[in-house]
Each structure stands twice: as C-alpha cells, then as structure tokens.
Amino acid sequence: MESDEAAASPSGGNVTPAPKKRGRKPKSKDESQTEEQEERGGKMKKQGEQSVDEKYTQWKGLVPILYDWLANHNLVWPSLSCRWGPQIEQATYKNRQRLYLSEQTDGSVPNTLVIANCEVVKPRVAAAEHISQFNEEARSPFVKKFKTIIHPGEVNRIRELPQNSKIIATHTDSPDVLIWDVETQPNRHAVLGAAHSRPDLVLTGHQDNAEFALAMCPTEPFVLSGGKDKSVVLWSIQDHITTAGSTDSKSSGSIIKQTGEGGDKTESPSLGPRGVYHGHDDTVEDVAFSPTSAQEFCSVGDDSCLILWDARTGTSPVTKVEKAHDADLHCVDWNPHDDNLILTGSADNTVRLYDRRKLTSNGVGTPIYKFEGHKAAVLCVQWSPDKSSVFGSSAEDGLLNIWDYDRVSKKSDRAAKSPAGLFFQHAGHRDKVVDFHWNAEDPWTIVSVSDDCETTGGGGTLQIWRMSDLIYRPEEEVLAELEKFKSHVMTCASKP
C-alpha cells in the first residue's frame, strides 16, 4: 500500500507528505525553492518564450478590455477547492452569495472549511478602469469570511447538494466522506489545539483513502465517491434529510441528528453505502452523475479508463473505455444539457469529448473531439450551465481555458493560430489552477483558485470573474450593437 499524504492535524502535529503523482496539493517549501532556483537558472528564459511574470503583466493590461468584472483575492492559506453556495441577497448593482473554500494550513493552526459572503457585481456595472486596479497581495473587498468550520484534516474537495446548496460534502485524506449543514454548524475560532468541528453525517464504505473523486446528484440526494481502493461508492442521504424542498430556511434540508457545539463528545452519525462498484485497476480520481438519472454515473482514474455505471444493473461496469487518454485521467464532467456528452481531462494535457452512444462494451471508445490547448496536466473540467456547447478546463500551466464545441467546425482565418474551439483564456493565475466553478445564479461568472503562493506573497489566489459579453455573444448581435454605437457617436458629433 502506498504511503498517504498526512494532513496537518488540529493539534499541530505535521507529517511530511509523501509525493503524489498529480499536482493538486500545494507545494512544500522545498519544492517551491527548487522551482525558483530552476527558473533563476534559465528554465523560463528560453528564446521566444515569455516568463510567468511577463505573461501576467500582459494579461493584466488587457483586463479592462477582456472582462466585464474581476475580483482578485489573496488567500492566507492555499485552497484546493472553491464552490458557489446559495444566493442570499439581491440588490440593484450586485448580489450577495455564499462561497465555499478550504484552508490548507501548515499545522500552526487547524485546517478549515470557510464559508464566505461574496458580493457579485452585476453585468455592465463595474467601470473598466477600476477592474484591473487591484493589489495582488491584498484581500478583495468583495469577499468576506462569514463562518469557519474546523475540518478534521485538510479539505481536498468540496461539493454542494444541488437540491439545497447549504448542504455540502467534503473529501479529506481519509476513507470517509463528510457531510455538513453549513448553516447550522457553529462558527469556530481556528486556534492551535482547538477540537475539530463534527460533521453532521459521515459516509463510510471506502477501504482506503478517498481524496478527490466526489459528486452530488442533481436529481436526488445521492453522493458518489472514488478512492485509492479503486472503487466507486454510492450513498443516499435521503433518510438523514428532513423537509427537503421546504421553504422554511431554518429546517430546509437540515440533517436530522444535530451534533452540537465543537468539543461535545457526541459522535457524528454514520451511513453505509448503497453500492460499491469495482472496475478500475488504479486510484479513482473523479466521478460524475448523469444529469437525468441518480442511478447512472461515470468515473475516471489513474488506469486511464473511463467507466460508465448503472446501479440498476449491478456493481460491474456497463461500459469501460480502456484507454480514454494517453496518461492518468484527473477529471470528468457530464453535460447537464445533453446526457450523451461526457468530458474528460488528463495528465496528457488534453481534454476529450465522448458521446456515450458511440462507446462499446469491449473497451473501445474514440472521442468525438480532442481539445489541445494546455501545456500541462488538466486538473478540472466543467460544462457551463449557460450554454450546452461551452465548457471550461483548468490545468497546471496556470490557464483556465473556455471552449465552445460548436466553434470547432467554424474556425476562422483570424483564429488559425489558436486551438479549435478555444475562445477565451483566463491567464490571471500564475501557477496551477486547482479548481474552478461556474456560477449557476449569475450567468458567465466563474470563481477559480490557484496555488501561486510564491508569486502572491500569500496562500494562493482566488479570482471571481466574468468575461465581456462581446466575447461570447453571437457575432451578428455584437456587430449590430457596434453599428448602433457608431450611429450614436456620429449623431452626437453632428450636433452644434
């Protein structure tokens, strides 16, 4: 058995982590110093190639043109996951919304799950000249910490329950999945030696650590997980949820057995799995539910396989694509608008699009398209909730690419040098972008987080941004608006 990465414990004990194959974990000080020495030695000074800082400076100069709004938030500690929670207030020029983050500490204080309030500025409100005027080493006024939960171990992954986004699941370096009702959990002060908060529910069933693969079902309160035991595990938390769908904010989606204040010795309730599914030959790195059925889901792993499952037919794979990529698979997402389309991202630097109707049961599966635009391992892929053909991908190269599959066949001469389908590249991060999340409440708005501690003087960078609508709107619509603007300018100029 491999040695697992040990999280810094709340009591301050810090164990040196074992090396991981994938690049999600924050760098240790030794790794950062080695990289810095390599860069000083000329690693980033190849002829014709820009350094990270040069690319960033160029990007920042274009921010007023490329973005409708952008907020830059320097983190105290690195974060491996960022997710939108419920919208809690609407106003004339901005909306307030919950934001979920993790804090991966060095052991001097406990690891935490952070619930923040985020002020999301509405489209065409922010002044262009103000968008790029931020200090990389400062906290954003748009992000305010609301509540802190002391997490038992570092938070590797956060996922919210679509039916009620006040209920979230977390993965840490253990076999269990932890369920939290973030509204009823007490606010804690993260100090050395503080007892960790107790989850409202603990999901058991893995036989080894389950660190990253985590999903919550869009149609029912089901949870899916994958881990180092090479298995995919399914739970239903229906029995532990009361008044689902109620309009009463105090009881809606609450987990029945409350666990009290931190320090109380009451054990958290636990729940065994509905099913355990075997078919992978290595660690399962990501999982996703079908958008139309709680019984259908898929998984990817370090065995380079994409597997489709159906809980109604047993615990064996329905379809297994043996070599979905040329290296480990890190991420997968199922299109919420078209349940035939599945995205995968890999350490081979590519994103591939599969149509499940074209997969066979004998391990043969050819992607309907391969998107090549990253220069390092892809860590996260996610379909847009706003347009069925649009998705994002983030990678260790520090880029978050926005693609449109519909544009693949419409590549123009002007875009001949860019990869087919790529229509926007967010370059505001200066190191690996470990997670991002589209905002379902605010169209075309994304939160992304990176591990660029060395360049920001903090624990990494959180950015909330929305590209200019002139980029994604239909070309004829944009041209018509430009003609109206030109006409307006000419009219104004002709007046005495």
Side-chain angles (χ1 to χ4, degrees):
M1 185 181 298
E2 296 178 339
S3 59
D4 302 323
E5 282 199 322
S9 69
S11 62
N14 203 22
V15 181
T16 303
K20 288 179 73 74
K21 288 191 289 184
R22 68 191 305 181
R24 286 193 186 272
K25 293 291 188 180
K27 300 185 192 77
S28 67
K29 290 183 180 179
D30 290 341
E31 288 176 318
S32 298
Q33 289 172 356
T34 301
E35 287 191 7
E36 188 177 350
Q37 290 169 359
E38 287 176 345
E39 289 184 12
R40 287 176 179 173
K43 179 183 176 184
M44 300 299 293
K45 296 180 182 179
K46 294 178 182 177
Q47 189 171 359
E49 184 178 332
Q50 290 178 305
S51 70
V52 172
D53 286 338
E54 287 171 338
K55 289 179 181 178
Y56 178 80
T57 301
Q58 184 180 45
W59 167 82
K60 194 171 181 181
L62 294 172
V63 164
I65 300 169
L66 297 176
Y67 295 84
D68 177 74
W69 177 61
L70 183 140
N72 187 89
H73 186 71
N74 183 242
L75 298 168
V76 177
W77 299 104
S79 178
L80 289 184
S81 197
C82 56
R83 301 292 290 187
W84 291 107
Q87 191 176 87
I88 54 178
E89 185 180 337
Q90 292 186 340
T92 304
Y93 299 110
K94 58 188 177 182
N95 298 323
R96 181 174 295 167
Q97 190 168 350
R98 293 278 196 256
L99 189 62
Y100 305 136
L101 305 167
S102 64
E103 288 184 323
Q104 320 291 118
T105 72
D106 61 1
S108 59
V109 292
N111 293 286
T112 62
L113 173 64
V114 174
I115 295 89
N117 284 337
C118 179
E119 305 287 344
V120 182
V121 176
K122 290 187 175 182
R124 300 199 172 193
V125 168
E129 62 269 23
H130 294 158
I131 297 175
S132 61
Q133 294 178 0
F134 58 83
N135 180 353
E136 284 80 4
E137 298 185 9
R139 317 286 177 248
S140 170
F142 297 101
V143 180
K144 303 287 187 184
K145 187 178 288 190
F146 170 71
K147 181 183 287 188
T148 298
I149 293 171
I150 299 179
H151 198 271
E154 58 186 37
V155 184
N156 296 330
R157 182 65 66 90
I158 304 167
R159 287 294 179 264
E160 72 288 347
L161 184 66
Q163 299 87 24
N164 184 343
S165 55
K166 297 174 184 177
I167 307 296
I168 65 171
T170 57
H171 255 328
T172 185
D173 292 346
S174 83
D176 298 332
V177 177
L178 309 180
I179 305 295
W180 309 86
D181 184 334
V182 296
E183 294 301 310
T184 62
Q185 280 283 333
N187 187 25
R188 301 290 305 285
H189 186 45
V191 294
L192 183 63
H196 64 69
S197 303
R198 275 182 324 284
D200 292 277
L201 185 63
V202 176
L203 305 182
T204 62
H206 278 293
Q207 303 304 310
D208 200 345
N209 283 5
E211 297 176 342
F212 292 105
L214 184 63
M216 299 188 93
C217 179
T219 57
E220 296 184 47
F222 283 19
V223 181
L224 194 64
S225 171
K228 287 187 174 182
D229 57 3
K230 309 173 188 177
S231 68
V232 175
V233 184
L234 176 70
W235 298 267
S236 170
I237 57 174
Q238 183 65 54
D239 295 341
H240 291 263
I241 296 182
T242 59
T243 60
S246 167
T247 56
D248 183 352
S249 61
K250 293 184 179 180
S251 61
S252 178
S254 295
I255 293 175
I256 287 177
K257 188 173 181 180
Q258 297 300 317
T259 55
E261 299 291 328
D264 185 339
K265 296 181 180 180
T266 306
E267 291 290 329
S268 299
S270 62
L271 177 68
R274 175 170 285 204
V276 180
Y277 304 85
H278 300 282
H280 282 283
D281 298 318
D282 207 334
T283 300
V284 180
E285 292 284 6
D286 202 10
V287 289
F289 277 100
S290 161
T292 56
S293 171
Q295 306 298 327
E296 295 178 78
F297 39 93
C298 62
S299 58
V300 295
D302 289 344
D303 54 4
S304 302
C305 291
L306 164 65
I307 299 181
L308 274 62
W309 312 84
D310 190 329
R312 296 164 295 194
T313 63
T315 58
S316 298
V318 172
T319 306
K320 183 174 182 177
V321 181
E322 296 282 0
K323 196 170 178 60
H325 281 260
D326 299 324
D328 298 357
L329 273 75
H330 289 165
C331 46
V332 65
D333 196 31
W334 207 315
N335 193 317
H337 310 280
D338 184 342
D339 64 2
N340 290 311
L341 301 181
I342 297 172
L343 281 173
T344 57
S346 167
D348 65 8
N349 306 352
T350 70
V351 176
R352 299 189 183 187
L353 176 60
Y354 285 91
D355 186 330
R356 68 170 175 169
R357 294 167 297 187
K358 298 181 180 179
L359 302 179
T360 61
S361 57
N362 61 355
V364 178
T366 302
I368 58 177
Y369 200 76
K370 182 165 67 172
F371 298 89
E372 298 176 300
H374 286 290
K375 295 181 179 180
V378 178
L379 297 177
C380 186
V381 292
Q382 191 192 7
W383 289 101
S384 165
D386 306 306
K387 187 180 179 185
S388 61
S389 59
V390 171
F391 65 91
S393 63
S394 67
E396 290 183 18
D397 58 9
L399 297 175
L400 202 170
N401 289 339
I402 307 297
W403 311 79
D404 188 343
Y405 176 59
D406 284 349
R407 299 190 186 202
V408 168
S409 59
K410 302 174 184 177
K411 191 171 181 181
S412 65
D413 293 337
R414 287 178 299 172
K417 293 184 179 180
S418 64
L422 179 64
F423 74 96
F424 190 82
Q425 197 166 67
H426 179 64
H429 296 285
R430 286 175 280 177
D431 210 326
K432 56 189 177 185
V433 183
V434 293
D435 200 12
F436 72 94
H437 191 205
W438 295 86
N439 192 338
E441 300 286 347
D442 198 293
W444 295 91
T445 303
I446 292 174
V447 59
S448 51
V449 67
S450 59
D451 176 27
D452 44 12
C453 312
E454 294 301 307
T455 51
T456 61
T461 301
L462 178 83
Q463 291 182 336
I464 304 150
W465 52 275
R466 183 192 307 117
M467 72 179 80
S468 168
D469 63 0
L470 297 177
I471 295 172
Y472 60 80
R473 284 164 58 194
E475 186 175 355
E476 58 274 13
E477 190 178 302
V478 173
L479 291 174
E481 185 166 317
L482 287 174
E483 286 300 320
K484 284 183 181 179
F485 179 71
K486 285 167 62 179
S487 176
H488 174 72
V489 170
M490 292 175 67
T491 301
C492 293
S494 64
K495 290 181 179 180

